[in-house]
Amino acid sequence: MEERVVQDSLPPGQGEVLGIQSVTQTQADKFTNAFLKNSLPGKNQEQIEEYMNHKAVVLEHRKQKTPRIKTKKAKGLNARQRREMKVFQLKPEHQKYLLFMPLHGLWKQYIVDLCNGLKPNSNPQLIQQRLLKADFHGAIMTVVRSKCPSYVGTSGILVQELKHVFKIITKEDRLKVIPKRNSVFAVEINGFVSHIYGSKFELRSSQRSAKKFKVKGTIDL
């Protein structure tokens, strides 16, 4: 198609049917130059003409980039702030054995479901493996062996497990902090008694659930 045919004005009747009107040559040149500058940013007039002579330009609408709005993520409390606010400290009025009995009932049901019913013919090794990664909040724990004789015989409901200690509430409504190291704890569930060697339990409960424990013959205090 010849260039003059492309640049010819539309017949008056056809322009009315299409709803458009022809523009003058000057207006067309201005529009074309402005469009090319917008489509080819960073180039001067000579570079645009050279580009047009050697390459094809895809005539498409250029989308404007919308600026990304950075959203601030809510930051949690750090260890120092938690200590100052006493987030993990149990208030004296809440140190009541009876208050945690419902938690103990929920824990027993959780362990029974975890161990598929704790039947008499259940595999003890399989149960031990599952208990190693279980959550013991709500369990009734008893210290059966310890290098500190005053801890032996202490029994109560576990209300908080930290990396190095168990915090339990006794029947006398006293909060006891028992170190895991050098202590052995007994946990009874429906007649099944499991012993926990605290020296090998010095992990947070969330970390213990993902840890792979090795089977060992004997463990000394």
Side-chain angles (χ1 to χ4, degrees):
M1 186 180 293
E2 296 182 2
E3 185 178 355
R4 65 179 181 80
V5 177
V6 176
Q7 296 180 353
D8 281 347
S9 301
L10 290 173
Q14 191 172 0
E16 293 178 0
V17 173
L18 297 175
I20 58 177
Q21 60 181 0
S22 298
V23 295
T24 63
Q25 184 66 34
T26 303
Q27 292 174 326
D29 290 341
K30 287 183 179 180
F31 171 80
T32 304
N33 292 332
F35 177 81
L36 290 174
K37 286 183 179 180
N38 187 48
S39 301
L40 303 172
K43 295 181 181 297
N44 55 33
Q45 189 64 31
E46 294 181 359
Q47 291 172 333
I48 291 175
E49 292 179 0
E50 183 180 357
Y51 188 89
M52 293 293 294
N53 291 331
H54 294 87
K55 294 185 179 180
V57 178
V58 179
L59 301 178
E60 60 181 359
H61 177 67
R62 186 183 180 189
K63 295 182 180 179
Q64 295 182 352
K65 293 183 178 179
T66 55
R68 292 184 179 181
I69 301 175
K70 294 183 178 180
T71 57
K72 294 183 178 180
K73 294 183 179 180
K75 293 183 179 180
L77 300 175
N78 56 35
R80 182 179 178 181
Q81 291 173 329
R82 290 196 293 267
R83 286 195 299 268
E84 292 176 351
M85 297 176 65
K86 300 180 180 180
V87 174
F88 297 115
Q89 291 189 15
L90 195 62
K91 295 181 179 179
E93 59 267 24
H94 296 156
Q95 298 176 13
K96 304 293 182 182
Y97 185 85
L98 291 178
L99 286 178
F100 293 95
M101 284 302 296
L103 177 63
H104 175 61
L106 293 173
W107 179 83
K108 288 178 65 176
Q109 186 60 46
Y110 155 70
I111 292 297
V112 170
D113 294 341
L114 181 67
C115 300
N116 297 327
L118 278 178
K119 300 176 182 178
N121 58 349
S122 299
N123 186 348
Q125 292 183 351
L126 179 61
I127 294 175
Q128 288 283 6
Q129 288 296 323
R130 294 188 176 182
L131 288 178
L132 283 173
K133 299 185 178 185
D135 190 334
F136 283 89
H137 289 91
I140 295 180
M141 308 184 76
T142 304
V143 183
V144 294
R145 291 172 59 190
S146 177
K147 283 192 174 181
C148 183
S150 61
Y151 291 141
V152 178
T154 304
S155 180
I157 298 175
L158 177 66
V159 295
Q160 189 175 12
E161 178 185 358
L162 302 179
K163 185 175 182 179
H164 298 291
V165 299
F166 285 130
K167 292 185 179 182
I168 62 176
I169 290 289
T170 65
K171 291 183 178 180
E172 293 78 22
D173 297 335
R174 297 182 63 184
L175 180 65
K176 294 284 188 178
V177 181
I178 311 295
K180 294 180 180 180
R181 183 170 296 182
N182 301 327
S183 297
V184 180
F185 305 86
V187 180
E188 188 270 335
I189 319 105
N190 294 347
F192 181 87
V193 180
S194 176
H195 289 85
I196 298 173
Y197 289 82
S199 297
K200 304 301 177 181
F201 245 55
E202 289 188 297
L203 296 167
R204 294 181 178 88
S205 57
S206 58
Q207 296 173 337
R208 191 176 69 247
S209 62
K211 180 177 175 59
K212 292 184 179 179
F213 290 89
K214 295 181 180 179
V215 179
K216 296 184 179 180
T218 58
I219 302 177
D220 297 329
L221 288 177

